[in-house]
Amino acid sequence: MSRFVLITPSAEFDQRLRLAVAGGLPGSVQTFFTSVLPVDPAELFGALSQEQLEVLVLGPDVPVEDALRLATVLNVQLPELSVVLVSEPDPSFVVQAMRSGLRDILSPTADVAEIRVMLERGCQSFASRQRTSEPKPPGAPKGLVIGVFSPKGGVGKTTIATNIAVGLGKIAPMSVVIVDLDLQFGDVASGLYLNPEHTVTDAVTPSASQDSLVLKAFLTVHPASIYALCAPKNPVEADDITPDQVSRLLEQLAEEFQYVVVDTAPGLPEIGLAALEQCTDAVWVTGMDVPSVRGLRSGLDILRRLNLLPETRHVVLNMADSKSGLSVQDVESTVGAPVDVSIPRSKAVALSTNRGVPVLQDAPKDPAVKGLNRLVERFNPAWRSTAQRKLHRRVVVS
């Protein structure tokens, strides 16, 4: 049964929330009519009945600073709990709220239907985080590690990586992390409009490599319900990060998250090869120009000889343009592999990149959005199980 707890002095908001629950949500509501939040969460839990708590709503007239403090503590002690703040939404406040552990912000004037949607979303988020926070038995499968690669720069690799992460955040909220391993000149921070306090440099320190709770403290929360681990702010710091540290970092993240998206530097540097060895999936990005296509063919040939290609491969033709002088068939015959997803050239994507808001975050009506969604869908468990069944049938028939 879902369990909802509300803290607010507002009897009127309590009535609206109870109507939302009565409209079809399982569980009951327990309300504390006060604006004073406990300093120690144990005080709150001691006053609760023994039912399962999934969503804690900090209602109107609760001091915002106190709400942020309590959410921060609960995010450490009960990371699966959905804590919602009822306050006037302020864009400048969203990132701070997410960093504190708040899962949602609701307007005090929200109607019953909007409150119900918020509670449903909170329950879904609780269930998702509860699954990922449960201790995994020995031998249990880890999360997918999705590396985005290109032998040549300038093909939109970071744009693809950030959109994959944002798209997966809709499938598995707060269970996705994107890592920028273009350590000298990475653009994930600008691609997501982030100014991270911590970077990969912090995440590979001995304390972080030995304790996943410490590692998680170095991640930056993004409003699209994902985490980001951005490249060092000073390119010189990249020299101190080793392939072994990167391997350990990706192993840790795969144990904690359902999806780890890795944006890599162009070419095949040591750090990129270390990341490739940890990947369950490799997304190979090429533009629709001869140097990009030939570069991808050469890169794949080298990796085949080194036996470094992950089992699951996704070839993406980015900025596809029928007027470029090349066709999809030309690309496939040169690369020696089928193009899995073709993403047309798009002004919307270019604009979103300059704004630092991935196009899948806004999801305008644009052909490129459809292509990116098809790419994201390839990592959806439902798609993968269907694809595996089809592959198995082909093997049996042949």
Side-chain angles (χ1 to χ4, degrees), residues 303-340:
L303 294 173
R304 287 191 189 99
R305 290 199 293 270
L306 295 175
N307 198 27
L308 283 178
L309 287 174
E311 289 185 10
T312 309
R313 177 206 63 216
H314 315 266
V315 175
V316 176
L317 178 57
N318 195 27
M319 297 179 285
D321 187 347
S322 59
K323 299 178 181 179
S324 67
L326 293 180
S327 66
V328 174
Q329 290 74 22
D330 293 331
V331 174
E332 291 178 332
S333 62
T334 303
V335 172
V339 170
D340 297 298

Side-chain angles (χ1 to χ4, degrees), residues 156 159 161 164 194 209 211 264 276 278:
T159 298
I164 289 174
L194 293 174
S209 65
D211 189 334
T264 61
L276 186 60
Q278 300 299 321

Side-chain angles (χ1 to χ4, degrees), residues 157-158 162 177-192 194-204 218-220 227-239 241 246 249 261-265 271:
K157 178 176 50 58
T158 299
T162 52
V177 59
I178 181 170
V179 183
D180 192 346
L181 289 184
D182 186 350
L183 298 177
Q184 289 186 312
F185 305 108
D187 287 325
V188 166
S190 61
L192 293 174
L194 293 174
N195 183 22
E197 183 177 352
H198 302 286
T199 68
V200 174
T201 303
D202 304 295
V204 298
F218 294 139
L219 305 181
T220 302
Y227 292 91
L229 185 55
C230 300
K233 296 180 181 179
N234 186 344
V236 175
E237 296 177 24
D239 295 336
I241 299 174
V246 166
L249 170 64
V261 181
V262 185
D263 186 25
T264 61
I271 293 295

